[in-house]
Amino acid sequence: MGISKLTTDKVKERMDIEEVIGDYLPMKKKGQNLWANCPFHGEKTPSFSISPAKQIYKCFGCGKAGDPIQFVMDIEGIGFQEAIKHIAGRYGIEVEEDETRTPEQNEAQNERESLLIALGFARDFFVKNLQTPEGKSIGLSYFKERGFTPAIIEKFDLGYALDGWDNLLNAAKSAGFKEEILLKAGLILQKEGDATRIYDRFRNRVIFSIHNISGKPLGFGARILTKDKNQPKYINSPETPVYHKSDVLYGMFQAKKAIRDKDNCYLVEGYTDVVSLH
Ligand SMILES: [Zn+2]
């Protein structure tokens, strides 16, 4: 992956530690520094300090320390280049790639990043399906019935999985995704006893995209609308290398700013409850 030195320099010049970490953590000012509960080890009293003057952070509990780029790498679990892209996106800095990308560099893109790209593709696919005749008559009408506005539907990446065994599989393969990655991302399944038979995990259901704190889709929840007694009401993505369920709270990405501003948070059970309250 080759992000140009110019882009990296622009990001380093523009980034501010208080803003970058503030996207993730509530911080309190005490003296010269800001303090937060460390996101890297469990604690109830803040030992995670942020120095705006030095543009570094340090945890006195677990020892994690670094600059804003290191923080994004650690909290998102991504590499240096991806962290630069992430911060560039936050500040609206255009990312220039070096033209000399070798096949080896392309392959070096790690598995985690491939999974996130595949999940992003699936999210876009489900969102687009909502505008098909089938998506409109079944999915969109359900969301409207729940009182969800077009803006809310867009904000939460609500979507629709068409009825059929391989709609996503075929679209993803045409777009160049390998079956192995789609399997690892939890998007497709192998038939028990016949690994050559693969099919979409989500079929004939409305889709709730589950985002990480920075808005990348990690997995999906899917609700059936037809009255089929043999099918579970909800199907969810499994645990994957990028989706650790105990680390993710549905709706946090959309709510984080308001939670910080109001210093208040309501927890409810269920996707539609979260979206309705929002
Ligand atoms: Zn710590």
Side-chain angles (χ1 to χ4, degrees):
M1 303 283 287
I3 290 178
S4 74
K5 185 169 180 306
L6 183 68
T7 300
T8 304
D9 289 346
K10 273 189 197 162
V11 165
K12 285 184 174 169
E13 219 167 84
R14 179 68 185 85
M15 68 187 185
D16 176 76
I17 198 154
E18 196 175 334
E19 291 169 349
V20 171
I21 297 184
D23 285 345
Y24 297 90
L25 306 178
M27 304 179 288
K28 289 222 161 65
K29 196 152 181 87
K30 210 165 68 186
Q32 294 285 308
N33 291 341
L34 297 150
W35 294 82
N37 285 342
C38 178
F40 304 116
H41 81 278
E43 64 174 3
K44 294 219 168 70
T45 51
S47 52
F48 186 87
S49 77
I50 299 112
S51 164
K54 293 183 193 151
Q55 288 289 307
I56 54 165
Y57 65 92
K58 182 174 168 65
C59 175
F60 293 95
C62 68
K64 284 258 189 198
D67 66 357
I69 300 168
Q70 186 66 49
F71 181 83
V72 171
M73 287 167 67
D74 287 343
I75 201 147
E76 297 277 355
I78 55 180
F80 179 82
Q81 301 263 342
E82 280 301 304
I84 293 287
K85 272 196 205 168
H86 180 96
I87 301 171
R90 188 198 187 285
Y91 289 107
I93 297 166
E94 195 185 331
V95 175
E96 266 183 16
E97 309 240 353
D98 282 333
E99 277 160 28
T100 52
R101 280 173 61 139
T102 65
E104 289 75 23
Q105 280 173 322
N106 284 334
E107 263 179 46
Q109 196 184 36
N110 69 33
E111 178 185 277
R112 192 188 151 82
E113 285 163 11
S114 303
L115 293 177
L116 290 173
I117 294 167
L119 288 158
F121 176 86
R123 184 264 322 268
D124 294 345
F125 185 73
F126 293 139
V127 165
K128 267 187 253 158
N129 284 344
L130 200 56
Q131 303 305 330
T132 62
E134 185 188 333
K136 275 183 184 163
S137 73
I138 303 173
L140 199 55
S141 63
Y142 169 75
F143 290 137
K144 281 186 177 157
E145 215 171 273
R146 305 295 305 225
F148 300 170
T149 62
I152 280 288
I153 290 169
E154 190 183 332
K155 190 171 187 181
F156 279 84
D157 284 336
L158 301 181
Y160 186 73
L162 299 166
D163 197 9
W165 291 98
D166 50 14
N167 288 296
L168 175 64
L169 176 63
N170 288 337
K173 276 166 78 177
S174 305
F177 291 100
K178 294 193 184 116
E179 284 175 4
E180 183 202 344
I181 289 295
L182 301 172
L183 269 171
K184 276 199 178 150
L187 295 168
I188 60 173
L189 294 165
Q190 272 171 330
K191 189 173 157 56
E192 248 175 83
D194 183 2
T196 62
R197 297 269 303 276
I198 51 172
Y199 55 96
D200 288 353
R201 178 183 297 273
F202 305 108
R203 307 177 307 276
N204 193 22
R205 287 164 181 272
V206 287
I207 294 282
F208 297 87
S209 302
I210 299 159
H211 304 91
N212 70 2
I213 193 87
S214 59
K216 290 196 174 88
L218 302 179
F220 303 94
R223 186 190 199 279
I224 199 161
L225 297 177
T226 52
K227 290 197 171 58
D228 185 343
K229 287 251 161 26
N230 299 318
Q231 295 288 333
K233 190 170 163 194
Y234 278 96
I235 286 181
N236 296 293
S237 287
E239 292 269 328
T240 71
V242 295
Y243 183 31
H244 306 292
K245 297 189 182 188
S246 56
D247 295 343
V248 179
L249 186 62
Y250 180 69
M252 192 62 174
F253 164 63
Q254 290 85 352
K256 65 181 177 182
K257 191 171 178 302
I259 292 173
R260 208 162 48 230
D261 292 349
K262 308 278 182 199
D263 200 18
N264 195 11
C265 175
Y266 295 102
L267 292 178
V268 290
E269 201 186 345
Y271 302 114
T272 53
D273 293 338
V274 170
V275 178
S276 295
L277 275 188
H278 195 90

